[in-house]
């Protein structure tokens, strides 16, 4: 019986991870599309969005462009540290998004 319980626990743990990651990406997409939060479509074009802006680059192949997740978190948090002349809002520094919300947006961006 203990072996069966361990096997069930392992199955639940392993299958839960992708579901959690997908829901974080889904939450990130909602934030990216939310006009009062991320509002990424104002400047960027990306899959799943309509009436995109063209001020910023198209958000495609993000994992390939930014293989280091920390770089992408830094960009969303405060791009002015990397590029003082950017027009991208510092979502973290200005408390537009919480750290948890930034993580969700990055999860979403990494699916693009």
């Amino acid at each position: 019986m203990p072996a069966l319980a361990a096997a069930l626990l392992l199955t639940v743990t392993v299958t839960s991870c992708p579901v959690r990651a997908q829901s974080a990406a889904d939450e990130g997409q909602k934030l990216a599309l939310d006009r009062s939060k991320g509002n990424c479509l104002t400047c960027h074009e990306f899959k799943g969005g309509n009436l995109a802006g063209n001020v910023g680059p198209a958000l495609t192949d993000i994992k390939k462009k930014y293989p280091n997740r920390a770089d992408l978190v830094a960009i969303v948090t405060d791009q002015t540290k990397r590029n003082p002349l950017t027009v991208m809002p510092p979502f973290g520094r200005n408390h537009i998004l919480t750290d948890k919300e930034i993580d969700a947006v990055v999860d979403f961006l990494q699916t693009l």
Side-chain angles (χ1 to χ4, degrees), residues 36-105:
S36 68
K37 287 295 211 168
N39 202 18
C40 302
L41 277 176
T42 297
C43 298
H44 301 279
E45 176 185 343
F46 58 88
K47 177 182 66 179
N50 295 319
L51 302 172
N54 60 3
V55 174
L59 301 177
T60 58
D61 298 324
I62 297 300
K63 266 193 151 174
K64 185 177 179 182
K65 291 175 186 173
Y66 300 99
N68 182 350
R69 179 184 171 83
D71 290 340
L72 195 52
V73 169
I75 289 169
V76 176
T77 300
D78 188 358
Q79 174 65 345
T80 64
K81 289 182 179 179
R82 293 168 44 111
N83 176 5
L85 301 177
T86 187
V87 296
M88 184 165 168
F91 291 98
R93 188 185 79 207
N94 286 351
H95 307 291
I96 298 166
L97 298 173
T98 66
D99 289 344
K100 183 178 177 183
E101 290 171 329
I102 289 171
D103 281 338
V105 168

